[in-house]
PDB file of all heavy atoms in Angstrom:
ATOM      1  N   ALA A 636      13.305   5.444 122.905  1.00  0.00           N
ATOM      2  CA  ALA A 636      12.875   4.949 124.217  1.00  0.00           C
ATOM      3  C   ALA A 636      12.201   3.592 124.082  1.00  0.00           C
ATOM      4  O   ALA A 636      12.412   2.685 124.902  1.00  0.00           O
ATOM      5  CB  ALA A 636      11.927   5.957 124.867  1.00  0.00           C
ATOM      6  N   ALA A 637      11.391   3.447 123.032  1.00  0.00           N
ATOM      7  CA  ALA A 637      10.719   2.173 122.790  1.00  0.00           C
ATOM      8  C   ALA A 637      11.733   1.057 122.564  1.00  0.00           C
ATOM      9  O   ALA A 637      11.580  -0.056 123.091  1.00  0.00           O
ATOM     10  CB  ALA A 637       9.788   2.289 121.590  1.00  0.00           C
ATOM     11  N   HIS A 638      12.772   1.345 121.800  1.00  0.00           N
ATOM     12  CA  HIS A 638      13.769   0.317 121.488  1.00  0.00           C
ATOM     13  C   HIS A 638      14.464  -0.172 122.758  1.00  0.00           C
ATOM     14  O   HIS A 638      14.703  -1.377 122.929  1.00  0.00           O
ATOM     15  CB  HIS A 638      14.784   0.866 120.491  1.00  0.00           C
ATOM     16  CG  HIS A 638      15.268  -0.160 119.514  1.00  0.00           C
ATOM     17  ND1 HIS A 638      16.115   0.130 118.468  1.00  0.00           N
ATOM     18  CD2 HIS A 638      15.032  -1.497 119.406  1.00  0.00           C
ATOM     19  CE1 HIS A 638      16.359  -0.962 117.774  1.00  0.00           C
ATOM     20  NE2 HIS A 638      15.714  -1.961 118.328  1.00  0.00           N
ATOM     21  N   GLU A 639      14.774   0.745 123.652  1.00  0.00           N
ATOM     22  CA  GLU A 639      15.403   0.348 124.910  1.00  0.00           C
ATOM     23  C   GLU A 639      14.449  -0.483 125.763  1.00  0.00           C
ATOM     24  O   GLU A 639      14.845  -1.469 126.392  1.00  0.00           O
ATOM     25  CB  GLU A 639      15.857   1.584 125.679  1.00  0.00           C
ATOM     26  CG  GLU A 639      17.078   2.265 125.082  1.00  0.00           C
ATOM     27  CD  GLU A 639      18.251   1.296 124.909  1.00  0.00           C
ATOM     28  OE1 GLU A 639      18.627   0.622 125.904  1.00  0.00           O
ATOM     29  OE2 GLU A 639      18.789   1.189 123.788  1.00  0.00           O
ATOM     30  N   LEU A 640      13.167  -0.093 125.775  1.00  0.00           N
ATOM     31  CA  LEU A 640      12.184  -0.778 126.602  1.00  0.00           C
ATOM     32  C   LEU A 640      11.928  -2.200 126.120  1.00  0.00           C
ATOM     33  O   LEU A 640      11.837  -3.147 126.918  1.00  0.00           O
ATOM     34  CB  LEU A 640      10.870   0.013 126.608  1.00  0.00           C
ATOM     35  CG  LEU A 640       9.710  -0.572 127.418  1.00  0.00           C
ATOM     36  CD1 LEU A 640      10.047  -0.594 128.905  1.00  0.00           C
ATOM     37  CD2 LEU A 640       8.439   0.234 127.175  1.00  0.00           C
ATOM     38  N   ILE A 641      11.832  -2.388 124.808  1.00  0.00           N
ATOM     39  CA  ILE A 641      11.402  -3.684 124.271  1.00  0.00           C
ATOM     40  C   ILE A 641      12.556  -4.613 123.915  1.00  0.00           C
ATOM     41  O   ILE A 641      12.335  -5.791 123.610  1.00  0.00           O
ATOM     42  CB  ILE A 641      10.501  -3.511 123.031  1.00  0.00           C
ATOM     43  CG1 ILE A 641      11.300  -2.969 121.826  1.00  0.00           C
ATOM     44  CG2 ILE A 641       9.318  -2.620 123.355  1.00  0.00           C
ATOM     45  CD1 ILE A 641      10.462  -2.842 120.548  1.00  0.00           C
ATOM     46  N   ARG A 642      13.770  -4.123 123.984  1.00  0.00           N
ATOM     47  CA  ARG A 642      14.915  -4.927 123.545  1.00  0.00           C
ATOM     48  C   ARG A 642      14.969  -6.321 124.176  1.00  0.00           C
ATOM     49  O   ARG A 642      15.310  -7.297 123.501  1.00  0.00           O
ATOM     50  CB  ARG A 642      16.221  -4.162 123.814  1.00  0.00           C
ATOM     51  CG  ARG A 642      17.361  -4.567 122.889  1.00  0.00           C
ATOM     52  CD  ARG A 642      18.622  -3.761 123.200  1.00  0.00           C
ATOM     53  NE  ARG A 642      18.465  -2.344 122.963  1.00  0.00           N
ATOM     54  CZ  ARG A 642      18.628  -1.751 121.784  1.00  0.00           C
ATOM     55  NH1 ARG A 642      18.954  -2.479 120.729  1.00  0.00           N
ATOM     56  NH2 ARG A 642      18.479  -0.449 121.669  1.00  0.00           N
ATOM     57  N   PRO A 643      14.617  -6.478 125.469  1.00  0.00           N
ATOM     58  CA  PRO A 643      14.673  -7.836 126.051  1.00  0.00           C
ATOM     59  C   PRO A 643      13.609  -8.786 125.506  1.00  0.00           C
ATOM     60  O   PRO A 643      13.691  -9.990 125.736  1.00  0.00           O
ATOM     61  CB  PRO A 643      14.442  -7.583 127.552  1.00  0.00           C
ATOM     62  CG  PRO A 643      14.734  -6.141 127.766  1.00  0.00           C
ATOM     63  CD  PRO A 643      14.331  -5.455 126.500  1.00  0.00           C
ATOM     64  N   TYR A 644      12.613  -8.249 124.798  1.00  0.00           N
ATOM     65  CA  TYR A 644      11.462  -9.056 124.403  1.00  0.00           C
ATOM     66  C   TYR A 644      11.361  -9.275 122.904  1.00  0.00           C
ATOM     67  O   TYR A 644      10.415  -9.912 122.436  1.00  0.00           O
ATOM     68  CB  TYR A 644      10.179  -8.394 124.910  1.00  0.00           C
ATOM     69  CG  TYR A 644      10.256  -8.029 126.362  1.00  0.00           C
ATOM     70  CD1 TYR A 644      10.431  -6.708 126.761  1.00  0.00           C
ATOM     71  CD2 TYR A 644      10.210  -9.023 127.348  1.00  0.00           C
ATOM     72  CE1 TYR A 644      10.539  -6.372 128.095  1.00  0.00           C
ATOM     73  CE2 TYR A 644      10.325  -8.692 128.687  1.00  0.00           C
ATOM     74  CZ  TYR A 644      10.486  -7.364 129.057  1.00  0.00           C
ATOM     75  OH  TYR A 644      10.603  -7.042 130.388  1.00  0.00           O
ATOM     76  N   ILE A 645      12.321  -8.770 122.126  1.00  0.00           N
ATOM     77  CA  ILE A 645      12.280  -8.912 120.670  1.00  0.00           C
ATOM     78  C   ILE A 645      13.606  -9.461 120.156  1.00  0.00           C
ATOM     79  O   ILE A 645      14.619  -9.453 120.865  1.00  0.00           O
ATOM     80  CB  ILE A 645      11.994  -7.563 119.967  1.00  0.00           C
ATOM     81  CG1 ILE A 645      13.149  -6.570 120.204  1.00  0.00           C
ATOM     82  CG2 ILE A 645      10.666  -6.977 120.418  1.00  0.00           C
ATOM     83  CD1 ILE A 645      13.081  -5.317 119.335  1.00  0.00           C
ATOM     84  N   HIS A 646      13.580  -9.925 118.920  1.00  0.00           N
ATOM     85  CA  HIS A 646      14.802 -10.296 118.215  1.00  0.00           C
ATOM     86  C   HIS A 646      15.299  -9.119 117.379  1.00  0.00           C
ATOM     87  O   HIS A 646      14.488  -8.352 116.845  1.00  0.00           O
ATOM     88  CB  HIS A 646      14.555 -11.453 117.241  1.00  0.00           C
ATOM     89  CG  HIS A 646      14.287 -12.771 117.887  1.00  0.00           C
ATOM     90  ND1 HIS A 646      15.076 -13.296 118.893  1.00  0.00           N
ATOM     91  CD2 HIS A 646      13.314 -13.696 117.644  1.00  0.00           C
ATOM     92  CE1 HIS A 646      14.603 -14.477 119.251  1.00  0.00           C
ATOM     93  NE2 HIS A 646      13.544 -14.740 118.512  1.00  0.00           N
ATOM     94  N   LEU A 647      16.607  -8.991 117.267  1.00  0.00           N
ATOM     95  CA  LEU A 647      17.195  -8.179 116.210  1.00  0.00           C
ATOM     96  C   LEU A 647      17.157  -9.056 114.965  1.00  0.00           C
ATOM     97  O   LEU A 647      17.979  -9.952 114.796  1.00  0.00           O
ATOM     98  CB  LEU A 647      18.632  -7.783 116.555  1.00  0.00           C
ATOM     99  CG  LEU A 647      19.450  -7.115 115.436  1.00  0.00           C
ATOM    100  CD1 LEU A 647      18.795  -5.829 114.960  1.00  0.00           C
ATOM    101  CD2 LEU A 647      20.879  -6.847 115.909  1.00  0.00           C
ATOM    102  N   THR A 648      16.169  -8.826 114.117  1.00  0.00           N
ATOM    103  CA  THR A 648      15.943  -9.735 112.995  1.00  0.00           C
ATOM    104  C   THR A 648      16.982  -9.519 111.889  1.00  0.00           C
ATOM    105  O   THR A 648      17.455  -8.405 111.677  1.00  0.00           O
ATOM    106  CB  THR A 648      14.531  -9.561 112.426  1.00  0.00           C
ATOM    107  OG1 THR A 648      14.296  -8.180 112.130  1.00  0.00           O
ATOM    108  CG2 THR A 648      13.492 -10.047 113.423  1.00  0.00           C
ATOM    109  N   PRO A 649      17.312 -10.585 111.171  1.00  0.00           N
ATOM    110  CA  PRO A 649      18.352 -10.490 110.142  1.00  0.00           C
ATOM    111  C   PRO A 649      17.856  -9.812 108.875  1.00  0.00           C
ATOM    112  O   PRO A 649      16.650  -9.703 108.624  1.00  0.00           O
ATOM    113  CB  PRO A 649      18.701 -11.954 109.869  1.00  0.00           C
ATOM    114  CG  PRO A 649      17.429 -12.686 110.146  1.00  0.00           C
ATOM    115  CD  PRO A 649      16.796 -11.966 111.311  1.00  0.00           C
ATOM    116  N   VAL A 650      18.798  -9.390 108.053  1.00  0.00           N
ATOM    117  CA  VAL A 650      18.537  -8.902 106.707  1.00  0.00           C
ATOM    118  C   VAL A 650      19.151  -9.908 105.738  1.00  0.00           C
ATOM    119  O   VAL A 650      20.352 -10.189 105.800  1.00  0.00           O
ATOM    120  CB  VAL A 650      19.135  -7.503 106.483  1.00  0.00           C
ATOM    121  CG1 VAL A 650      18.957  -7.072 105.025  1.00  0.00           C
ATOM    122  CG2 VAL A 650      18.489  -6.485 107.425  1.00  0.00           C
ATOM    123  N   LEU A 651      18.327 -10.470 104.854  1.00  0.00           N
ATOM    124  CA  LEU A 651      18.784 -11.470 103.901  1.00  0.00           C
ATOM    125  C   LEU A 651      18.732 -10.923 102.479  1.00  0.00           C
ATOM    126  O   LEU A 651      18.017  -9.960 102.192  1.00  0.00           O
ATOM    127  CB  LEU A 651      17.926 -12.732 103.989  1.00  0.00           C
ATOM    128  CG  LEU A 651      17.870 -13.439 105.348  1.00  0.00           C
ATOM    129  CD1 LEU A 651      17.025 -14.702 105.243  1.00  0.00           C
ATOM    130  CD2 LEU A 651      19.265 -13.760 105.865  1.00  0.00           C
ATOM    131  N   THR A 652      19.499 -11.549 101.591  1.00  0.00           N
ATOM    132  CA  THR A 652      19.519 -11.162 100.182  1.00  0.00           C
ATOM    133  C   THR A 652      19.368 -12.400  99.305  1.00  0.00           C
ATOM    134  O   THR A 652      19.554 -13.531  99.762  1.00  0.00           O
ATOM    135  CB  THR A 652      20.831 -10.454  99.812  1.00  0.00           C
ATOM    136  OG1 THR A 652      21.928 -11.353 100.054  1.00  0.00           O
ATOM    137  CG2 THR A 652      21.031  -9.184 100.626  1.00  0.00           C
ATOM    138  N   SER A 653      19.037 -12.164  98.037  1.00  0.00           N
ATOM    139  CA  SER A 653      18.931 -13.250  97.064  1.00  0.00           C
ATOM    140  C   SER A 653      19.464 -12.761  95.728  1.00  0.00           C
ATOM    141  O   SER A 653      18.885 -11.857  95.119  1.00  0.00           O
ATOM    142  CB  SER A 653      17.480 -13.700  96.902  1.00  0.00           C
ATOM    143  OG  SER A 653      17.334 -14.522  95.768  1.00  0.00           O
ATOM    144  N   SER A 654      20.562 -13.336  95.274  1.00  0.00           N
ATOM    145  CA  SER A 654      21.126 -12.925  93.988  1.00  0.00           C
ATOM    146  C   SER A 654      20.163 -13.251  92.852  1.00  0.00           C
ATOM    147  O   SER A 654      20.076 -12.492  91.876  1.00  0.00           O
ATOM    148  CB  SER A 654      22.488 -13.595  93.759  1.00  0.00           C
ATOM    149  OG  SER A 654      22.360 -15.015  93.813  1.00  0.00           O
ATOM    150  N   TYR A 655      19.422 -14.344  92.984  1.00  0.00           N
ATOM    151  CA  TYR A 655      18.456 -14.694  91.944  1.00  0.00           C
ATOM    152  C   TYR A 655      17.350 -13.635  91.847  1.00  0.00           C
ATOM    153  O   TYR A 655      17.004 -13.183  90.749  1.00  0.00           O
ATOM    154  CB  TYR A 655      17.826 -16.060  92.216  1.00  0.00           C
ATOM    155  CG  TYR A 655      16.730 -16.392  91.233  1.00  0.00           C
ATOM    156  CD1 TYR A 655      17.030 -16.923  89.981  1.00  0.00           C
ATOM    157  CD2 TYR A 655      15.386 -16.150  91.543  1.00  0.00           C
ATOM    158  CE1 TYR A 655      16.036 -17.206  89.060  1.00  0.00           C
ATOM    159  CE2 TYR A 655      14.381 -16.427  90.627  1.00  0.00           C
ATOM    160  CZ  TYR A 655      14.709 -16.951  89.391  1.00  0.00           C
ATOM    161  OH  TYR A 655      13.720 -17.215  88.483  1.00  0.00           O
ATOM    162  N   ILE A 656      16.790 -13.246  92.985  1.00  0.00           N
ATOM    163  CA  ILE A 656      15.707 -12.255  92.958  1.00  0.00           C
ATOM    164  C   ILE A 656      16.238 -10.893  92.530  1.00  0.00           C
ATOM    165  O   ILE A 656      15.555 -10.132  91.839  1.00  0.00           O
ATOM    166  CB  ILE A 656      14.987 -12.203  94.314  1.00  0.00           C
ATOM    167  CG1 ILE A 656      14.341 -13.568  94.604  1.00  0.00           C
ATOM    168  CG2 ILE A 656      13.921 -11.105  94.329  1.00  0.00           C
ATOM    169  CD1 ILE A 656      13.645 -13.674  95.941  1.00  0.00           C
ATOM    170  N   ASN A 657      17.466 -10.589  92.879  1.00  0.00           N
ATOM    171  CA  ASN A 657      18.075  -9.348  92.380  1.00  0.00           C
ATOM    172  C   ASN A 657      18.144  -9.347  90.852  1.00  0.00           C
ATOM    173  O   ASN A 657      17.808  -8.362  90.193  1.00  0.00           O
ATOM    174  CB  ASN A 657      19.484  -9.182  92.950  1.00  0.00           C
ATOM    175  CG  ASN A 657      19.486  -8.725  94.401  1.00  0.00           C
ATOM    176  OD1 ASN A 657      18.439  -8.417  94.965  1.00  0.00           O
ATOM    177  ND2 ASN A 657      20.667  -8.692  95.001  1.00  0.00           N
ATOM    178  N   SER A 658      18.574 -10.466  90.284  1.00  0.00           N
ATOM    179  CA  SER A 658      18.686 -10.542  88.823  1.00  0.00           C
ATOM    180  C   SER A 658      17.307 -10.494  88.168  1.00  0.00           C
ATOM    181  O   SER A 658      17.135  -9.929  87.084  1.00  0.00           O
ATOM    182  CB  SER A 658      19.432 -11.812  88.402  1.00  0.00           C
ATOM    183  OG  SER A 658      18.699 -12.974  88.744  1.00  0.00           O
ATOM    184  N   LEU A 659      16.316 -11.055  88.832  1.00  0.00           N
ATOM    185  CA  LEU A 659      14.955 -11.054  88.312  1.00  0.00           C
ATOM    186  C   LEU A 659      14.363  -9.651  88.281  1.00  0.00           C
ATOM    187  O   LEU A 659      13.680  -9.264  87.328  1.00  0.00           O
ATOM    188  CB  LEU A 659      14.078 -11.974  89.170  1.00  0.00           C
ATOM    189  CG  LEU A 659      12.598 -12.057  88.802  1.00  0.00           C
ATOM    190  CD1 LEU A 659      12.416 -12.814  87.497  1.00  0.00           C
ATOM    191  CD2 LEU A 659      11.819 -12.733  89.926  1.00  0.00           C
ATOM    192  N   THR A 660      14.638  -8.863  89.311  1.00  0.00           N
ATOM    193  CA  THR A 660      14.014  -7.549  89.450  1.00  0.00           C
ATOM    194  C   THR A 660      14.865  -6.397  88.923  1.00  0.00           C
ATOM    195  O   THR A 660      14.351  -5.306  88.677  1.00  0.00           O
ATOM    196  CB  THR A 660      13.698  -7.262  90.931  1.00  0.00           C
ATOM    197  OG1 THR A 660      14.930  -7.279  91.691  1.00  0.00           O
ATOM    198  CG2 THR A 660      12.751  -8.305  91.502  1.00  0.00           C
ATOM    199  N   GLY A 661      16.165  -6.626  88.766  1.00  0.00           N
ATOM    200  CA  GLY A 661      17.052  -5.539  88.365  1.00  0.00           C
ATOM    201  C   GLY A 661      17.337  -4.556  89.471  1.00  0.00           C
ATOM    202  O   GLY A 661      17.836  -3.442  89.231  1.00  0.00           O
ATOM    203  N   ALA A 662      17.030  -4.949  90.712  1.00  0.00           N
ATOM    204  CA  ALA A 662      17.277  -4.091  91.878  1.00  0.00           C
ATOM    205  C   ALA A 662      18.131  -4.852  92.892  1.00  0.00           C
ATOM    206  O   ALA A 662      18.251  -6.086  92.836  1.00  0.00           O
ATOM    207  CB  ALA A 662      15.953  -3.666  92.512  1.00  0.00           C
ATOM    208  N   GLU A 663      18.710  -4.109  93.809  1.00  0.00           N
ATOM    209  CA  GLU A 663      19.512  -4.697  94.885  1.00  0.00           C
ATOM    210  C   GLU A 663      18.634  -4.717  96.134  1.00  0.00           C
ATOM    211  O   GLU A 663      18.391  -3.674  96.744  1.00  0.00           O
ATOM    212  CB  GLU A 663      20.774  -3.846  95.109  1.00  0.00           C
ATOM    213  CG  GLU A 663      21.805  -4.450  96.024  1.00  0.00           C
ATOM    214  CD  GLU A 663      23.054  -3.577  96.126  1.00  0.00           C
ATOM    215  OE1 GLU A 663      23.296  -2.755  95.213  1.00  0.00           O
ATOM    216  OE2 GLU A 663      23.778  -3.715  97.134  1.00  0.00           O
ATOM    217  N   LEU A 664      18.141  -5.895  96.476  1.00  0.00           N
ATOM    218  CA  LEU A 664      17.098  -6.010  97.493  1.00  0.00           C
ATOM    219  C   LEU A 664      17.648  -6.553  98.817  1.00  0.00           C
ATOM    220  O   LEU A 664      18.453  -7.490  98.838  1.00  0.00           O
ATOM    221  CB  LEU A 664      15.983  -6.935  96.992  1.00  0.00           C
ATOM    222  CG  LEU A 664      15.352  -6.565  95.648  1.00  0.00           C
ATOM    223  CD1 LEU A 664      14.229  -7.544  95.306  1.00  0.00           C
ATOM    224  CD2 LEU A 664      14.837  -5.126  95.649  1.00  0.00           C
ATOM    225  N   TYR A 665      17.146  -5.956  99.901  1.00  0.00           N
ATOM    226  CA  TYR A 665      17.534  -6.350 101.251  1.00  0.00           C
ATOM    227  C   TYR A 665      16.263  -6.640 102.048  1.00  0.00           C
ATOM    228  O   TYR A 665      15.474  -5.733 102.314  1.00  0.00           O
ATOM    229  CB  TYR A 665      18.364  -5.251 101.915  1.00  0.00           C
ATOM    230  CG  TYR A 665      19.683  -5.029 101.215  1.00  0.00           C
ATOM    231  CD1 TYR A 665      19.774  -4.175 100.112  1.00  0.00           C
ATOM    232  CD2 TYR A 665      20.832  -5.704 101.625  1.00  0.00           C
ATOM    233  CE1 TYR A 665      20.977  -3.996  99.442  1.00  0.00           C
ATOM    234  CE2 TYR A 665      22.038  -5.529 100.961  1.00  0.00           C
ATOM    235  CZ  TYR A 665      22.100  -4.668  99.873  1.00  0.00           C
ATOM    236  OH  TYR A 665      23.293  -4.499  99.213  1.00  0.00           O
ATOM    237  N   PHE A 666      16.072  -7.904 102.416  1.00  0.00           N
ATOM    238  CA  PHE A 666      14.839  -8.359 103.057  1.00  0.00           C
ATOM    239  C   PHE A 666      15.000  -8.336 104.580  1.00  0.00           C
ATOM    240  O   PHE A 666      15.754  -9.128 105.142  1.00  0.00           O
ATOM    241  CB  PHE A 666      14.495  -9.777 102.604  1.00  0.00           C
ATOM    242  CG  PHE A 666      14.182  -9.911 101.143  1.00  0.00           C
ATOM    243  CD1 PHE A 666      15.213 -10.005 100.196  1.00  0.00           C
ATOM    244  CD2 PHE A 666      12.866  -9.944 100.696  1.00  0.00           C
ATOM    245  CE1 PHE A 666      14.938 -10.144  98.837  1.00  0.00           C
ATOM    246  CE2 PHE A 666      12.584 -10.082  99.339  1.00  0.00           C
ATOM    247  CZ  PHE A 666      13.608 -10.174  98.408  1.00  0.00           C
ATOM    248  N   LYS A 667      14.295  -7.426 105.232  1.00  0.00           N
ATOM    249  CA  LYS A 667      14.294  -7.354 106.695  1.00  0.00           C
ATOM    250  C   LYS A 667      13.278  -8.370 107.211  1.00  0.00           C
ATOM    251  O   LYS A 667      12.072  -8.217 107.038  1.00  0.00           O
ATOM    252  CB  LYS A 667      13.931  -5.938 107.142  1.00  0.00           C
ATOM    253  CG  LYS A 667      13.803  -5.743 108.661  1.00  0.00           C
ATOM    254  CD  LYS A 667      15.107  -5.934 109.406  1.00  0.00           C
ATOM    255  CE  LYS A 667      14.957  -5.430 110.855  1.00  0.00           C
ATOM    256  NZ  LYS A 667      16.073  -5.915 111.710  1.00  0.00           N
ATOM    257  N   CYS A 668      13.772  -9.430 107.856  1.00  0.00           N
ATOM    258  CA  CYS A 668      12.984 -10.638 108.082  1.00  0.00           C
ATOM    259  C   CYS A 668      12.256 -10.635 109.433  1.00  0.00           C
ATOM    260  O   CYS A 668      12.651 -11.326 110.382  1.00  0.00           O
ATOM    261  CB  CYS A 668      13.875 -11.863 107.955  1.00  0.00           C
ATOM    262  SG  CYS A 668      14.462 -12.124 106.270  1.00  0.00           S
ATOM    263  N   GLU A 669      11.164  -9.897 109.482  1.00  0.00           N
ATOM    264  CA  GLU A 669      10.337  -9.904 110.692  1.00  0.00           C
ATOM    265  C   GLU A 669       9.524 -11.185 110.823  1.00  0.00           C
ATOM    266  O   GLU A 669       8.881 -11.407 111.855  1.00  0.00           O
ATOM    267  CB  GLU A 669       9.422  -8.680 110.695  1.00  0.00           C
ATOM    268  CG  GLU A 669      10.147  -7.375 110.940  1.00  0.00           C
ATOM    269  CD  GLU A 669      10.745  -7.296 112.337  1.00  0.00           C
ATOM    270  OE1 GLU A 669       9.984  -7.117 113.309  1.00  0.00           O
ATOM    271  OE2 GLU A 669      11.986  -7.421 112.458  1.00  0.00           O
ATOM    272  N   ASN A 670       9.555 -12.030 109.812  1.00  0.00           N
ATOM    273  CA  ASN A 670       8.984 -13.372 109.956  1.00  0.00           C
ATOM    274  C   ASN A 670       9.768 -14.195 110.973  1.00  0.00           C
ATOM    275  O   ASN A 670       9.261 -15.192 111.489  1.00  0.00           O
ATOM    276  CB  ASN A 670       8.942 -14.099 108.612  1.00  0.00           C
ATOM    277  CG  ASN A 670      10.289 -14.136 107.916  1.00  0.00           C
ATOM    278  OD1 ASN A 670      10.962 -13.104 107.801  1.00  0.00           O
ATOM    279  ND2 ASN A 670      10.693 -15.292 107.419  1.00  0.00           N
ATOM    280  N   PHE A 671      10.999 -13.765 111.308  1.00  0.00           N
ATOM    281  CA  PHE A 671      11.796 -14.415 112.346  1.00  0.00           C
ATOM    282  C   PHE A 671      11.627 -13.738 113.709  1.00  0.00           C
ATOM    283  O   PHE A 671      12.320 -14.085 114.665  1.00  0.00           O
ATOM    284  CB  PHE A 671      13.286 -14.393 111.971  1.00  0.00           C
ATOM    285  CG  PHE A 671      13.629 -15.223 110.762  1.00  0.00           C
ATOM    286  CD1 PHE A 671      14.661 -14.842 109.918  1.00  0.00           C
ATOM    287  CD2 PHE A 671      12.939 -16.386 110.470  1.00  0.00           C
ATOM    288  CE1 PHE A 671      14.997 -15.597 108.806  1.00  0.00           C
ATOM    289  CE2 PHE A 671      13.270 -17.153 109.361  1.00  0.00           C
ATOM    290  CZ  PHE A 671      14.301 -16.764 108.521  1.00  0.00           C
ATOM    291  N   GLN A 672      10.744 -12.770 113.782  1.00  0.00           N
ATOM    292  CA  GLN A 672      10.541 -12.030 115.023  1.00  0.00           C
ATOM    293  C   GLN A 672       9.837 -12.895 116.064  1.00  0.00           C
ATOM    294  O   GLN A 672       9.193 -13.898 115.732  1.00  0.00           O
ATOM    295  CB  GLN A 672       9.711 -10.768 114.737  1.00  0.00           C
ATOM    296  CG  GLN A 672       9.560  -9.791 115.890  1.00  0.00           C
ATOM    297  CD  GLN A 672      10.885  -9.403 116.499  1.00  0.00           C
ATOM    298  OE1 GLN A 672      11.319 -10.008 117.489  1.00  0.00           O
ATOM    299  NE2 GLN A 672      11.556  -8.408 115.913  1.00  0.00           N
ATOM    300  N   LYS A 673       9.950 -12.535 117.332  1.00  0.00           N
ATOM    301  CA  LYS A 673       9.147 -13.177 118.369  1.00  0.00           C
ATOM    302  C   LYS A 673       7.683 -13.155 117.938  1.00  0.00           C
ATOM    303  O   LYS A 673       7.211 -12.163 117.371  1.00  0.00           O
ATOM    304  CB  LYS A 673       9.294 -12.427 119.693  1.00  0.00           C
ATOM    305  CG  LYS A 673      10.679 -12.428 120.290  1.00  0.00           C
ATOM    306  CD  LYS A 673      11.006 -13.731 121.000  1.00  0.00           C
ATOM    307  CE  LYS A 673      12.298 -13.612 121.800  1.00  0.00           C
ATOM    308  NZ  LYS A 673      12.602 -14.852 122.536  1.00  0.00           N
ATOM    309  N   ALA A 674       6.974 -14.215 118.201  1.00  0.00           N
ATOM    310  CA  ALA A 674       5.566 -14.367 117.817  1.00  0.00           C
ATOM    311  C   ALA A 674       5.370 -14.367 116.308  1.00  0.00           C
ATOM    312  O   ALA A 674       4.247 -14.363 115.825  1.00  0.00           O
ATOM    313  CB  ALA A 674       4.683 -13.296 118.465  1.00  0.00           C
ATOM    314  N   GLY A 675       6.458 -14.359 115.545  1.00  0.00           N
ATOM    315  CA  GLY A 675       6.382 -14.516 114.103  1.00  0.00           C
ATOM    316  C   GLY A 675       5.952 -13.291 113.328  1.00  0.00           C
ATOM    317  O   GLY A 675       5.590 -13.408 112.147  1.00  0.00           O
ATOM    318  N   ALA A 676       6.017 -12.100 113.936  1.00  0.00           N
ATOM    319  CA  ALA A 676       5.561 -10.907 113.220  1.00  0.00           C
ATOM    320  C   ALA A 676       6.110  -9.638 113.854  1.00  0.00           C
ATOM    321  O   ALA A 676       6.353  -9.576 115.063  1.00  0.00           O
ATOM    322  CB  ALA A 676       4.038 -10.836 113.189  1.00  0.00           C
ATOM    323  N   PHE A 677       6.255  -8.601 113.022  1.00  0.00           N
ATOM    324  CA  PHE A 677       6.762  -7.307 113.481  1.00  0.00           C
ATOM    325  C   PHE A 677       5.912  -6.707 114.591  1.00  0.00           C
ATOM    326  O   PHE A 677       6.388  -5.898 115.390  1.00  0.00           O
ATOM    327  CB  PHE A 677       6.818  -6.315 112.308  1.00  0.00           C
ATOM    328  CG  PHE A 677       5.482  -5.720 111.926  1.00  0.00           C
ATOM    329  CD1 PHE A 677       5.084  -4.495 112.441  1.00  0.00           C
ATOM    330  CD2 PHE A 677       4.628  -6.374 111.055  1.00  0.00           C
ATOM    331  CE1 PHE A 677       3.852  -3.942 112.099  1.00  0.00           C
ATOM    332  CE2 PHE A 677       3.408  -5.841 110.704  1.00  0.00           C
ATOM    333  CZ  PHE A 677       3.012  -4.606 111.228  1.00  0.00           C
TER     334      PHE A 677
END
């Protein structure tokens, strides 16, 4: 219900990856970028 209510007021934020950081950590990382959200935060 919250998602339907707030959808007009938020961004669907992207998920980014970094092959360099993956190689550094040995994990497959997916960064959910709420830094791109409205007002700059989740």
